[in-house]
Amino acid sequence: MTDIPAAARQAVLQARHLVVFTGAGVSAESGVHTFRDALTGLWARFDPMQLATPEAFRRDPALVWGWYEWRRQLLLGVEPNPAHRVIAALEQRLPRVTLITQNVDDLHERAGSRKVLHLHGSIFTPRCFDCEHPYKFEGAPAMAAEQPLEPPRCSSCNGRVRPGVVWFGEALPEGALTAAFSAAEDCDCLLSIGTSGLVQPAAQIPEVAAQAGATVIHVNPEAVAVHSANQYSLQGPAGRILPLLLADD
Ligand code: OAD
């Protein structure tokens, strides 16, 4: 069993303002694919340049829409795991928690987290590619596997509907980005869970908090290199490590 250093546990449980920053790894134990894990990550099987850019959508909207609909269908069939639930419990218990996620799923919300800053958008909030008019899903997609599917048309301008996620080369939602960076500056503890820390600008968030003097705790099955006394790397799956923060308490 991984020992949680007492100072790390205390930093979380006594935080005045805790920031929780999550990536795909927090949903891995729910059965959601990560992006960069060797073999199982989505980007090991699919080319992001063919699926996750505005150019890709212009070139082949059915390929892109079908791929996201396949992912939406998978998400509709999974449940939050203990890591999502501990994060929601921390929100109940601490004076202030800001939850920032790079994930496009809704598992934090389904676990009970009330306010989630979705830096990379949400797969559940599609909009028109041309006029940005929101589109409402009706029911679940009937996908046998990842396969091309013509996107629906916008009820306002007849443009093609696109997934509500942030693609490579696109700006992050301004409000969420500003709130995330100001929370990182303000917090006294930041938990960074299940992210490879490779995608900018989100990847700077733990460093911004560390530079501002916060205790930064990484939770990941892979060891995360830490460079200062106020950073910890807790090695293991989030669904096992996070409940230990609240154990015997
Ligand atoms: P990655 O796939 O890059 O990284 C997932 C991380 O989760 C890795 O460091 C894994 O070691 C770790 N991991 C795997 N299983 C875990 C578990 N059970 N518990 C904890 N950690 C685990 O995913 P992100 O860092 O989220 O962008 O990727 C960032 C962005 O790149 C995504 O938001 C997406 C992608 O392209 C967009 O879609 C815009």
Side-chain angles (χ1 to χ4, degrees):
M1 170 159 144
T2 312
D3 280 331
I4 308 286
R9 196 160 172 269
Q10 211 171 26
V12 173
L13 297 180
Q14 294 179 2
R16 165 189 60 82
H17 180 185
L18 174 74
V19 167
V20 183
F21 173 61
T22 64
V26 78
S27 298
E29 288 153 271
S30 293
V32 181
H33 302 282
T34 62
F35 293 95
R36 293 178 184 78
D37 280 289
L39 305 178
T40 56
L42 287 171
W43 297 154
R45 291 171 55 204
F46 300 101
D47 177 358
M49 293 304 122
Q50 304 296 321
L51 293 164
T53 69
E55 294 74 30
F57 187 77
R58 269 192 210 99
R59 197 165 48 234
D60 194 342
L63 178 78
V64 173
W65 182 256
W67 189 72
Y68 280 94
E69 281 294 84
W70 164 66
R71 287 180 55 204
R72 182 169 73 94
Q73 185 182 49
L74 294 180
L75 290 176
L76 291 170
V78 302
E79 295 297 330
N81 68 56
H84 298 105
R85 286 195 284 274
V86 166
I87 293 165
L90 285 168
E91 186 183 299
Q92 296 294 321
R93 158 178 189 144
L94 298 179
R96 185 166 174 211
V97 173
T98 303
L99 174 53
I100 307 166
T101 189
Q102 298 167 86
N103 298 344
V104 299
D105 66 44
D106 61 350
L107 292 174
H108 285 305
E109 286 89 343
R110 285 204 264 143
S113 288
R114 277 170 307 180
K115 186 162 190 299
V116 188
L117 297 172
H118 278 275
L119 285 185
H120 293 165
S122 160
I123 209 164
F124 299 105
T125 57
R127 63 179 188 276
C128 177
F129 187 74
D130 295 329
C131 77
E132 308 213 325
H133 187 75
Y135 174 80
K136 256 204 167 70
F137 281 123
E138 273 157 29
M143 309 282 293
E146 67 274 13
Q147 61 198 17
L149 184 69
E150 202 48 49
R153 292 287 178 162
C154 171
S155 61
S156 175
C157 77
N158 202 39
R160 288 191 172 89
V161 171
R162 59 160 284 175
V165 305
V166 176
W167 282 327
F168 290 102
E170 292 188 313
L172 274 59
E174 207 180 304
L177 188 64
T178 307
F181 275 84
S182 74
E185 297 262 7
D186 176 71
C187 69
D188 49 350
C189 182
L190 181 143
L191 267 172
S192 174
I193 306 166
T195 179
S196 57
L198 292 173
V199 174
Q200 298 294 351
Q204 290 166 35
I205 288 172
E207 202 44 47
V208 166
Q211 295 276 334
T215 301
V216 173
I217 302 163
H218 303 271
V219 179
N220 200 303
E222 306 290 329
V224 176
V226 295
H227 307 289
S228 54
N230 65 341
Q231 296 210 32
Y232 298 86
S233 168
L234 306 183
Q235 208 177 335
R240 186 164 64 76
I241 298 287
L242 287 189
L244 296 177
L245 285 172
L246 297 183
D248 307 313
D249 198 66

